[in-house]
Amino acid sequence: DSFRKNSYRAVSVGLQLQKLESLLCDVAQQYCEDQDFIRYIENQFRGLAARKGKLGRGELVEIIDTLKAILNLSPSLPPRLVAYIHSTIGLVRQLQGENERAIGSLMKALWLETASYEPDAELVGLAVHRLGIIYGRNGNYEEARVMLEKAGMIYKSAGLRDDHPFMTNVIEELEALALKHERALSQSESLRGIRTPHSMSISRRISF
């Protein structure tokens, strides 16, 4: 089923499930005094990284609800942790097709992390990356291209290799974006005969 395929792709590329599992299972113990809540998290989400494509809609909703509950645990959560939580909420919302709400969460994560003294390049890159994907899905091709190329440069500066899943996904998304843009132009009566802008064809020879 298409949701399963999209779920596996989005989760395997974007959610960094090992980090998410650590966040859900370990952070609650550090900041929460409610033992029942801690046990609930451990029972529901321990082993999350091993489940990957088996996550269903109900489980994704539970992840969001649990992350929101963690945000309410303490007013003194580290800013980077808060940024990661908002980033993860944004990723899950994007997977659910709630693009506008996903953009809000990802922008909040981006603002929090870029305001820090030493931003985590991978976290910033991931937020920019997923924003680019959402813009592309919404038909905002130029904005999507800019964000995806920026994500690739951020990942490169963070030391990610070209064969890292984040890097390969950026290239795949840029290539798919160029094809969609060309198709949209060819289907437009008013734009027939206009060559695809050079800026949208660079994905054929992408380098960061």
Side-chain angles (χ1 to χ4, degrees):
D1 118 338
S2 61
F3 174 77
R4 290 294 182 188
K5 292 179 181 177
N6 290 336
S7 173
Y8 181 80
R9 184 161 184 255
V11 169
S12 62
V13 171
L15 285 183
Q16 305 177 86
L17 289 180
Q18 288 182 337
K19 289 185 180 180
L20 179 58
E21 180 182 336
S22 176
L23 183 155
L24 290 170
C25 297
D26 299 338
V27 172
Q29 294 184 28
Q30 183 175 352
Y31 290 95
C32 183
E33 296 180 358
D34 186 340
Q35 294 300 312
D36 288 338
F37 181 63
I38 292 173
R39 281 192 293 272
Y40 165 78
I41 290 178
E42 290 181 340
N43 291 336
Q44 291 293 106
F45 299 107
R46 185 68 71 184
L48 187 64
R51 283 148 61 188
K52 288 189 176 179
K54 297 179 182 178
L55 294 175
R57 292 183 185 276
E59 287 171 296
L60 293 175
V61 171
E62 279 192 281
I63 288 174
I64 288 182
D65 289 343
T66 304
L67 289 172
K68 287 181 177 179
I70 289 176
L71 284 175
N72 294 327
L73 290 180
S74 168
S76 59
L77 290 175
R80 176 154 297 162
L81 174 59
V82 176
Y84 185 79
I85 291 174
H86 283 296
S87 177
T88 304
I89 290 174
L91 296 174
V92 176
R93 290 202 187 286
Q94 185 268 328
L95 180 58
Q96 294 174 313
E98 299 180 6
N99 287 340
E100 293 306 314
R101 298 178 75 181
I103 289 172
S105 295
L106 290 167
M107 291 297 291
K108 188 174 292 186
L110 198 56
W111 179 82
L112 285 166
E113 190 57 29
T114 55
S116 65
Y117 179 66
E118 293 183 345
D120 182 320
E122 189 172 316
L123 177 56
V124 172
L126 182 58
V128 174
H129 182 172
R130 302 311 293 187
L131 284 168
I133 291 175
I134 294 172
Y135 291 153
R137 300 290 188 273
N138 288 345
N140 300 320
Y141 300 120
E142 182 61 19
E143 293 90 338
R145 180 188 65 80
V146 170
M147 297 299 272
L148 288 167
E149 290 181 347
K150 184 175 182 180
M153 290 186 287
I154 293 171
Y155 289 150
K156 200 77 170 179
S157 71
L160 271 61
R161 294 165 55 93
D162 290 342
D163 60 354
H164 189 283
F166 290 0
M167 291 292 289
T168 57
N169 183 258
V170 165
I171 293 173
E172 289 170 1
E173 290 291 341
L174 280 167
E175 290 174 344
L177 190 67
L179 290 174
K180 287 180 181 178
H181 187 254
E182 290 170 2
R183 193 175 298 120
L185 288 179
S186 68
Q187 292 174 349
S188 173
E189 292 290 335
S190 62
L191 295 178
R192 277 183 179 175
I194 298 179
R195 195 165 64 89
T196 301
H198 175 73
S199 63
M200 292 304 297
S201 63
I202 63 168
S203 61
R204 309 292 171 80
R205 46 186 173 75
I206 297 166
S207 62
F208 298 114

